[in-house]
Amino acid sequence: MMNLDTHNFLFDWTSGDPGRTMMAEYVAGALVSLVGIAVAAFYWLGGVSTLFDVALQIYLRLFWDKNGCYCDIKVLTFLMKWQFARHPLTRSVVMTWRQFRAGATKRIVNLGDYKFMYLEQGEASAERPTVLLLHGFTSGKEEWSEVMRLLRPHCHVIAVDMPGHGETTRNPRGDHSVTGTVARIRQFVDAIGLQKHGYHLVGSSWGGHVAGVYSSKYPDNLHSVSLMCPSGLEPKKVTRYVRALMEGRNYLLPADSSEFQEFLGCVFYRQPPLPRWALAIGLHDRVPHYPFFETVFEQLMDTEQRFLLQKSLSDIEVPALALWGKHDQVLCSSGLDILCDEIPSCEGHYLDECGHTIAIEQAAAAGNHIKNHVLKHHRSAVDNIR
């Protein structure tokens, strides 16, 4: 293998001037540092665990020798593991990358003093079905980036930040019960004109709870609903997450890196091997909003709201699709049988090697099921109109 002597190469390139050589080394080191940071970000986003290590190995081989480091690796490590994780720019980079992956445009709609932020890809038409995606509790619209990418050739897709989440208005004194959230989503649907050509609704976890209740109340111009491991059903078994709740711990609101690891282990079938700096990014973005999320959670656990979906199942008249991860440790997977038994027209599928985060862990399988269900019932709806 060729041994690249970076110092001698730069010395020759700068015509032997020691000052220029040192400057070139620092500039080159800084550029590689930036590449390392970018690759680390890509690793966290895409799950390519080897890229981060490869970037560091390249850095070490180029800029570290027995005499020391030309551009101190401790600076790179510090930036990535702490300052980079805490910088406001990090969230922007992460969200922009996910938006780019989805091929979507960020949009905003104002309803008086209330703001909805959402991602949109494609254009609505009578021939091209519109799909509205609702994410889960403490998550955001970017959760759907891979599913949006898969639906892009076939559908007009909208992923909205749910009330109080992401970049949508967060009002601690607002009504964030399931009933209140359904009303807000209805306002959003009316504001962006989804009823013109009709639409299909997809929800995951808490978003699935909302989607199910919504479809029972507002079936007009709604062509189908897809429910992915929705909350709101009375469980037949106590899951890992429910058991922790009974012990006074909420995995969905981790306070430190250790609890974040527990959270990941609970919601994923295969826990992603995130380094501590990546966990710091997630915590830094989530923890400041915990007082708000705790208030919302209390409203969702209200006796009148907790199992509202189950009470609404027989009223769902539109064609339904139910998806559930076989290894869900948050909500009991027996919920799939409940949905298929009690919704008059429901098709159900278990997803292998999948936990609670279907849109992330099994994006391809979920995207294909949603695509097939949407296209099938969109064609039926269009034929009925004609």
Side-chain angles (χ1 to χ4, degrees), residues 288-304:
H289 305 305
Y290 280 0
F292 169 79
F293 287 139
E294 288 169 354
T295 300
V296 173
F297 194 77
E298 288 178 7
Q299 294 185 32
L300 297 178
M301 291 296 102
D302 179 82
T303 52
E304 294 296 320

Side-chain angles (χ1 to χ4, degrees), residues 182-183 186 195 199 213-222 318:
V182 166
R186 181 61 174 185
Q195 298 205 59
Y199 59 107
V213 175
Y214 180 101
S215 64
S216 72
K217 291 175 65 69
Y218 303 111
D220 47 310
N221 292 323
L222 179 62
V318 299

Side-chain angles (χ1 to χ4, degrees), residues 304-357:
E304 294 296 320
Q305 299 289 315
R306 189 172 185 180
F307 301 122
L308 192 56
L309 175 58
Q310 183 127 1
K311 300 172 186 176
S312 307
L313 293 180
S314 60
D315 295 326
I316 298 177
E317 300 175 353
V318 299
L321 170 68
L323 301 176
W324 217 295
K326 271 190 177 180
H327 305 277
D328 194 335
Q329 299 183 80
V330 177
L331 299 173
C332 182
S333 58
S334 63
L336 184 75
D337 297 327
I338 296 174
L339 296 174
C340 292
D341 290 343
E342 299 194 25
I343 297 177
S345 176
C346 184
E347 168 192 344
H349 301 277
Y350 284 110
L351 301 182
D352 293 326
E353 298 186 351
C354 185
H356 190 65
T357 54

Side-chain angles (χ1 to χ4, degrees), residues 3-19:
N3 183 22
L4 177 62
D5 188 336
T6 310
H7 179 76
N8 288 338
F9 170 76
L10 291 175
F11 188 84
D12 294 337
W13 184 61
T14 54
S15 303
D17 187 314

Side-chain angles (χ1 to χ4, degrees), residues 43 61 66 71 77 150 223 227 247 249 298 361:
Y43 153 60
R61 287 188 179 274
K66 61 183 181 180
C71 182
T77 305
L150 292 164
H223 298 326
L227 308 176
E247 296 170 356
R249 295 179 297 145
E298 288 178 7
E361 263 192 308

